Amino acid sequence: MLDGKPELKRTFAIRIRALLLSQSRHTLALPKVRDLNELKMALAERFDQWAQKYEQIGIERGIEKGIEKGEALVFQRLLTKRFGTLPGELVVTISTAPAAQIDVWVDPVIDAASLEEVFRP
């Protein structure tokens, strides 16, 4: 439909770019383009960059979650060694607690005489 109409192609490319920028609230970094081919190339390049960026973010989040889960499991093991079998609701509390909370709970384990003392505010 646009073959042989370079000015229409250019106008169409500029309009699509403007629409993309508007929809992204101007968070996209798209170069100015002269025609649809340039827009297509710019978008293809950006999509590859975005895919790599979000893949890296996903990997980092997965590592963080794995570390948190590992900390919770080690803390549960430490408590079990020190105080015996843990109540089920405590296991759930520990497994869903953020890493910062587990760090707070870990310190009293060495000196606590009971499981209750570990979790005392």
Side-chain angles (χ1 to χ4, degrees):
M1 184 167 120
L2 298 176
D3 286 339
K5 300 177 184 174
E7 189 56 35
L8 190 56
K9 283 183 178 182
R10 182 177 141 343
T11 302
F12 195 62
I14 290 169
R15 182 67 187 125
I16 290 173
R17 179 183 177 274
L19 182 65
L20 289 170
L21 289 173
S22 172
Q23 289 296 312
S24 73
R25 296 188 172 103
H26 296 280
T27 58
L28 291 178
L30 290 176
K32 293 191 184 240
V33 294
R34 291 180 299 233
D35 62 29
L36 288 173
N37 284 336
E38 285 183 15
L39 181 61
K40 179 181 172 184
M41 295 299 287
L43 287 174
E45 183 179 310
R46 295 292 189 255
F47 284 134
D48 287 343
Q49 291 171 355
W50 296 328
Q52 289 173 1
K53 175 184 173 184
Y54 289 110
E55 181 180 13
Q56 184 61 37
I57 289 170
I59 289 169
E60 289 169 5
R61 286 185 183 161
I63 289 170
E64 288 173 16
K65 290 285 185 192
I67 289 170
E68 286 180 9
K69 185 174 181 175
E71 287 177 354
L73 291 172
V74 168
F75 180 56
Q76 287 177 32
R77 249 179 96 195
L78 179 63
L79 289 173
T80 301
K81 277 270 202 206
R82 180 102 161 82
F83 302 109
T85 304
L86 302 177
E89 64 186 38
L90 182 58
V91 171
V92 171
T93 299
I94 293 168
S95 66
T96 58
Q101 181 61 58
I102 292 174
D103 288 343
V104 171
W105 290 333
V106 166
D107 289 338
V109 170
I110 295 170
D111 299 323
S114 68
L115 193 55
E116 292 76 25
E117 281 185 35
V118 173
F119 297 94
R120 188 176 295 147

